Amino acid sequence: EIVMTQSPATLSVSPGERATLSCRASQSVSINLAWYQQKPGQAPRLLIYGASTRATGIPARFSGSGSGTEFTLTISSLQSEDFAIYYCQQYHDWPPLTFGGGTKVEIK
Amino acid sequence: EVQLLESGGGLVQPGGSLRLSCAASGFTFSSYAMSWVRQAPGKGLEWVSEISGSGGSTYYTDSVKGRFTVSRDNSKNTLYLEMNSLRAEDTAVYYCAKGAVVYALFDHWGQGTLTTVSS
């Protein structure tokens, strides 16, 4: 099973600032990596797939990078609606499909 | 517009059974794999099971193998999860999720249905 590890667990950022979230895989997942956003009381929403391709309707301030075992989600200028929990997920080698533990982006 | 609506959750005693349903609309249901993903209270996301578009292939996480069964009725555009021998650790919100075209990731999610296993 591929273990996904996200850091930090919590990120405190001021509106308008840049946020950088990390995701590490226990073995290479190539670029088979997705990012999701989840707001309180809501279902997750797909943001990024293929490590760097934005899903339909996702604003350009969200960008993904990385390959192999190290990945980054960057939010270039945080808006109020971006404060949420972000999860990475690998789909390179499954079952099982595995998620990281999440990074909570909170208002500083 | 893709819509996924889960139902069937509730309170069940340890060792009991429950069947979850997910009614899908807004896309050609039989063309897409579907998954169940759960989230324990205050915890992260955990993939539970996936079924291929035809229903011919099914996959499970180890902790539910032999207890849960995923199925689908493409004539009714409905996904199911039959859960038996339920344990306290199965308590979670269960989300139905639509698979993307060629990848095992999830491009649309339902709002979830809460299953609580407790005596």
Side-chain angles (χ1 to χ4, degrees), chain A residues 38-55:
Chain A
Q38 187 179 33
K39 297 178 182 180
Q42 295 187 18
R45 176 176 70 147
L46 177 65
L47 296 177
I48 300 282
Y49 63 94
S52 62
T53 302
R54 280 188 301 277

Side-chain angles (χ1 to χ4, degrees), chain A residues 31-65:
Chain A
I31 59 167
N32 298 310
L33 189 285
W35 290 94
Y36 300 86
Q37 175 194 66
Q38 187 179 33
K39 297 178 182 180
Q42 295 187 18
R45 176 176 70 147
L46 177 65
L47 296 177
I48 300 282
Y49 63 94
S52 62
T53 302
R54 280 188 301 277
T56 302
I58 302 303
R61 64 180 181 272
F62 291 92
S63 63
S65 64

